[in-house]
Amino acid sequence: MRAHEAGALHADLGRRAPAWLRPPTDVNALLPPLWPATAGRGGDGVLTAGGVPVTELAAAHGTPAYVLDEADLRTRCREFVAGFPGVDVFYAGKAFLCKAVVRIIAEEGLGLDVCTGGELATALAAGMPPDRIGFHGNNKSTAELARALDAGVGRIIVDSSAEIDRLTGLARQRGVRPRVLVRVTVGVEAHTHEYIATAHEDQKFGFSLAGGTGGSAFDAAARILADGVLELAGLHSHIGSQIFDSSGFEVSARRVLGLQARLRDTLRVEPPELDLGGGFGIAYTTQDDPAPPAELGKQLLTIVEDECRALRLAVPRLAVEPGRAIVGPAMFTLYRVGTVKDVDGIRSYVSVDGGMSDNIRTALYDAAYSATLASRASSAGPMLARVVGKHCEAGDIVVADEFLPADLRPGDLLAVPGTGAYCRSMASNYNHVPRPPVVAVAGGRSRVIVRRETEADLLALDVG
Ligand code: LLP
């Protein structure tokens, strides 16, 4: 293709693509922030991860499959531990949880947050030390709370007065004194600044600060202290997810430390811990530019120290709860292309053998993803494509807009990076599609850590 022709093609494609998406100069390039650290292309152009070519992974384990780069996951754990010195890092298991990952995060020195009995069961089955588990949730059942107490879970993040009632009753019965953090709704919306914060009452999580005297959050802490049954370990706030800007954390820390100061002034108590939650953003496309954990850690510590100095508070022991930033970029999904349909003059629809059942985020949150041809390099020019699944629904989109090589054909493997968080954990059996396996790769080897669901698994639940 001559240069002026290529320029004209790019201009034309560019018109139909979203403004941020540019036709790539090299369709085979892998952009580092999107991919796990060990991902690259072999001499034959095949994508490899953990030293294993994806063609081998597909042959051994089938497609679709989630591929976890174990070394990359460990590195991300270490970056958070090192980047947040003196801070407890709890991995938010809701992003993705299985026994192998529990063991890895435990080995790397992280704690683990769970928010249901199922997540707790997985953590305990994998041997996570219970004192390093935090238990979240706005509607924990009495049975779940009892199980957490009996297991010796290290901290329970209390979310409502009804829950404090339940937990107090259970603790009395057992003669134990569980450590609790009060979940504070600070009124900061993710991605946004203080000026456009959400209304406190329009939120199912936590205790509100609204009302001038520390709101129901103050009342909850005061009641826990007065009862003396539960140990008030600290305050907790989580402002949202996929956040790139530290201003939300700043407002949140200021507000929650304001409550800390009020507790000191009125009740003469400074709870020792402060948990600022998770929410650190990752790169899904070229548009996202996440800060490294060390930078986030520095920003957060500075914010808290400054505010504590201003309020003359002791700096509490801090905790954070990253989920997405730990596991998101460590995984990609490997699909096989089934059909390529050129919808004249608009774009090519590339159908893969999975879809909204293994990645609901595109349909649910309008999330943007990227994709690359994984089973070979291509010398063809770019075509504007939409990667869609096999489900009976027009909204079954995996990657809404991407430039893929124009010679993409059935049988090719396609990889979608950044699918470690909230993809397998939110997967469904829609259209009775069995959920894909998770295959860990490291040191030139692959191992299945979550096996593929089978039709027999689906039928086993259907007891007639
Ligand atoms: N801590 C608490 C209390 C949380 O509620 C969450 C996420 C986290 C930590 C971890 O947030 P992360 O670091 O992963 O952003 N399904 C949505 C995300 C829901 C997040 C729910 N809570 C998605 O796919 O984007």
Side-chain angles (χ1 to χ4, degrees):
M1 197 187 293
R2 296 209 183 95
H4 73 273
E5 284 172 350
L9 170 71
H10 283 199
D12 182 44
L13 288 173
R15 270 197 292 280
R16 283 175 277 142
W20 60 266
L21 187 66
R22 294 267 166 273
T25 43
D26 175 6
V27 280
N28 305 305
L30 301 175
L31 296 167
L34 307 186
W35 292 91
T38 72
R41 285 194 194 270
D44 53 1
V46 176
L47 177 70
T48 69
V52 190
V54 294
T55 40
E56 267 178 39
L57 291 174
H61 307 291
T63 54
Y66 302 99
V67 180
L68 169 67
D69 181 337
E70 195 173 324
D72 183 90
L73 176 64
R74 286 186 186 274
T75 303
R76 287 176 203 280
C77 290
R78 284 171 202 173
E79 283 173 354
F80 265 94
V81 171
F84 287 73
V87 176
D88 294 316
V89 181
F90 287 81
Y91 168 65
K94 69 199 80 182
F96 172 69
L97 200 66
C98 69
K99 290 189 282 183
V101 164
V102 173
R103 285 188 207 108
I104 289 171
I105 64 114
E107 281 165 18
E108 296 301 336
L110 279 70
L112 175 65
D113 270 350
V114 299
C115 65
T116 62
E119 289 183 359
L120 178 59
T122 306
L124 296 173
M128 185 75 197
D131 60 326
R132 285 164 59 194
I133 299 177
F135 193 14
H136 273 280
N138 68 303
N139 189 17
K140 308 175 194 76
S141 70
T142 304
E144 285 173 322
L145 290 170
R147 189 162 167 200
L149 291 187
D150 295 339
V153 160
R155 47 186 228 156
I156 297 177
I157 294 81
V158 291
D159 201 281
S160 67
S161 320
E163 186 185 335
I164 296 176
D165 291 343
R166 278 176 214 149
L167 194 59
T168 303
L170 290 166
R172 275 209 177 98
Q173 276 168 15
R174 287 165 172 73
V176 293
R177 189 152 189 263
R179 300 175 71 255
V180 300
L181 276 76
V182 171
R183 167 91 181 240
V184 181
T185 312
V186 289
V188 178
E189 196 188 345
H191 305 288
T192 67
H193 196 261
E194 184 169 18
Y195 302 147
I196 44 169
T198 46
H200 303 292
E201 56 272 19
D202 197 6
Q203 163 73 260
K204 77 167 179 169
F205 288 109
F207 294 93
S208 167
L209 283 176
T213 55
S216 62
F218 177 87
D219 297 342
R223 178 204 161 173
I224 289 166
L225 289 167
D227 286 351
V229 178
L230 312 176
E231 179 187 337
L232 181 64
L235 302 176
H236 181 288
S237 116
H238 169 76
I239 56 171
S241 212
Q242 186 64 358
I243 300 166
F244 290 98
D245 174 1
S246 67
S247 67
F249 289 104
E250 188 167 350
V251 177
S252 150
R254 217 167 40 231
R255 292 186 181 169
V256 86
L257 286 167
L259 174 59
Q260 180 94 335
R262 188 171 288 278
L263 290 173
R264 175 200 57 196
D265 296 343
T266 11
L267 303 173
R268 305 269 165 265
V269 172
E270 279 186 50
E273 294 176 33
L274 172 63
D275 189 325
L276 290 172
F280 311 109
I282 64 165
Y284 288 106
T285 71
T286 52
Q287 292 310 285
D288 304 321
D289 186 20
E295 207 172 295
L296 298 171
K298 210 151 129 204
Q299 286 170 359
L300 227 63
L301 287 167
T302 308
I303 289 168
V304 171
E305 281 164 8
D306 288 353
E307 199 55 26
C308 284
R309 199 172 310 116
L311 293 167
R312 290 188 306 281
L313 285 167
V315 178
R317 181 165 182 90
L318 291 180
V320 289
E321 304 172 334
R324 191 190 312 266
I326 298 269
V327 80
M331 270 199 232
F332 60 87
T333 312
L334 190 62
Y335 298 103
R336 193 169 298 276
V337 174
T339 69
V340 180
K341 194 185 283 181
D342 180 26
V343 176
D344 241 5
I346 307 176
R347 70 180 86 242
S348 292
Y349 277 81
V350 175
S351 294
V352 294
D353 50 359
M356 66 195 301
S357 56
D358 60 69
N359 186 350
I360 191 64
R361 296 194 68 258
T362 307
L364 195 56
Y365 310 115
D366 213 9
Y369 281 90
S370 316
T372 197
L373 169 58
S375 44
R376 61 187 171 92
S378 168
S379 51
M383 67 172 180
L384 183 61
R386 176 160 288 172
V387 181
V388 295
K390 62 181 289 168
H391 294 277
C392 281
E393 189 156 327
D396 172 25
I397 296 168
V398 181
V399 183
D401 303 285
E402 179 59 293
F403 285 105
L404 290 169
D407 65 349
L408 195 75
R409 53 185 180 251
D412 281 334
L413 294 172
L414 208 66
V416 174
T419 57
Y422 306 109
C423 287
R424 180 60 177 77
S425 69
M426 295 177 78
S428 76
N429 291 127
Y430 184 37
N431 294 142
H432 285 216
V433 171
R435 288 174 295 178
V438 181
V439 180
V441 290
R445 296 233 168 107
S446 68
R447 67 181 170 123
V448 176
I449 56 172
V450 178
R451 76 157 166 81
R452 184 182 301 285
E453 218 166 20
T454 62
E455 287 173 5
D457 288 326
L458 300 183
L459 286 166
L461 298 176
D462 188 341
V463 293

